[in-house]
Amino acid sequence: MSLDRIDRQILALLQEDGRMTNVDLAERVGLTAPPCLRRVRALEEMGAIRGYHADLDAARLGYPITVFAMVSLRSQAEHDLSAFEAHVATIPEVRECHMLNGEIDFILKIVAPDLNRFQVLLTTQLTPAPNVASVKTSLTIRTAKALSGIPVVE
C-alpha cells in the first residue's frame, strides 16, 4: 500500500477524530474538499480505513471489569482453531481474540459488569468450549495506556 504524506495526514487526523468534517479535514491537510473526499474514499476502498466508531467508556456503561484470558487448546489443527474463533465470536463480552505463537494459543480481552458475571461466562461458555485444555485469567487492576489504531508517521 503506497501512501503519500497527505494520505498519512488524513489517516492520522481521522484516527484522532473520526467525526471531523471533510471540510475541516481538507483544510488541515491543505486540500480543497472534493480531492480530500476522493482520497478518503480511496483509503476506505483499499482497506486502510476499515470503519468509524465511537470510543465508549466501558466502566461508565456498566462494564468496569476487564480480564485477559490465556487459552490453551488440546489441538492446534486449523479446523479446531477456526472452531474456537467461531465460538468466541458468539460471546459479546469477548472484545478481542488474538492467536499467539508459543505456549498459549489465544489471548482474549473480556469485559464484564462484575466478577460474578465474569465467573459465569468463564465456567459456562469459555472453559467448557470444545477443545479447550486450560484457561488462565488475569484481572486488570488499572489501565495506564489504551490507544486504538496505530502510530501514523507522516
Side-chain angles (χ1 to χ4, degrees):
M1 189 176 297
S2 179
L3 303 173
D4 66 14
R5 181 185 57 78
I6 294 175
D7 290 332
R8 291 183 184 282
Q9 284 180 310
I10 289 170
L11 291 171
L13 289 165
L14 286 177
Q15 182 172 249
E16 185 180 308
D17 180 6
R19 293 184 62 171
M20 181 180 295
T21 68
N22 184 59
V23 171
D24 289 340
L25 180 61
E27 184 178 303
R28 300 265 310 264
V29 299
L31 295 175
T32 59
C36 183
L37 185 58
R38 281 194 294 274
R39 281 178 178 257
V40 170
R41 296 289 183 247
L43 290 165
E44 290 169 349
E45 288 172 16
M46 72 172 58
I49 299 173
R50 293 187 303 192
Y52 302 88
H53 70 277
D55 185 11
L56 306 181
D57 186 318
R60 288 183 188 223
L61 295 169
Y63 290 88
I65 305 297
T66 300
V67 178
F68 288 91
M70 287 69 67
V71 180
S72 295
L73 302 180
R74 288 186 195 90
S75 164
Q76 289 73 34
E78 186 56 42
H79 67 277
D80 291 322
L81 297 170
S82 295
F84 179 77
E85 291 169 344
H87 175 71
V88 297
T90 68
I91 306 171
E93 294 86 355
V94 175
R95 304 311 299 168
E96 296 180 26
C97 174
H98 303 275
M99 185 174 157
L100 306 175
N101 75 340
E103 189 175 322
I104 303 298
D105 295 309
F106 289 92
I107 187 165
L108 310 178
K109 179 180 177 184
I110 302 169
V111 297
D114 55 54
L115 287 174
N116 186 51
R117 295 271 284 283
F118 168 71
Q119 181 184 1
V120 169
L121 181 150
L122 179 66
T123 58
T124 64
Q125 296 183 62
L126 195 53
T127 304
N131 197 36
V132 170
S134 69
V135 179
K136 297 177 183 174
T137 61
S138 291
L139 177 67
T140 301
I141 303 286
R142 116 177 122 216
T143 300
K145 183 176 183 179
L147 299 176
S148 61
I150 60 165
V152 179
V153 180
E154 291 182 27

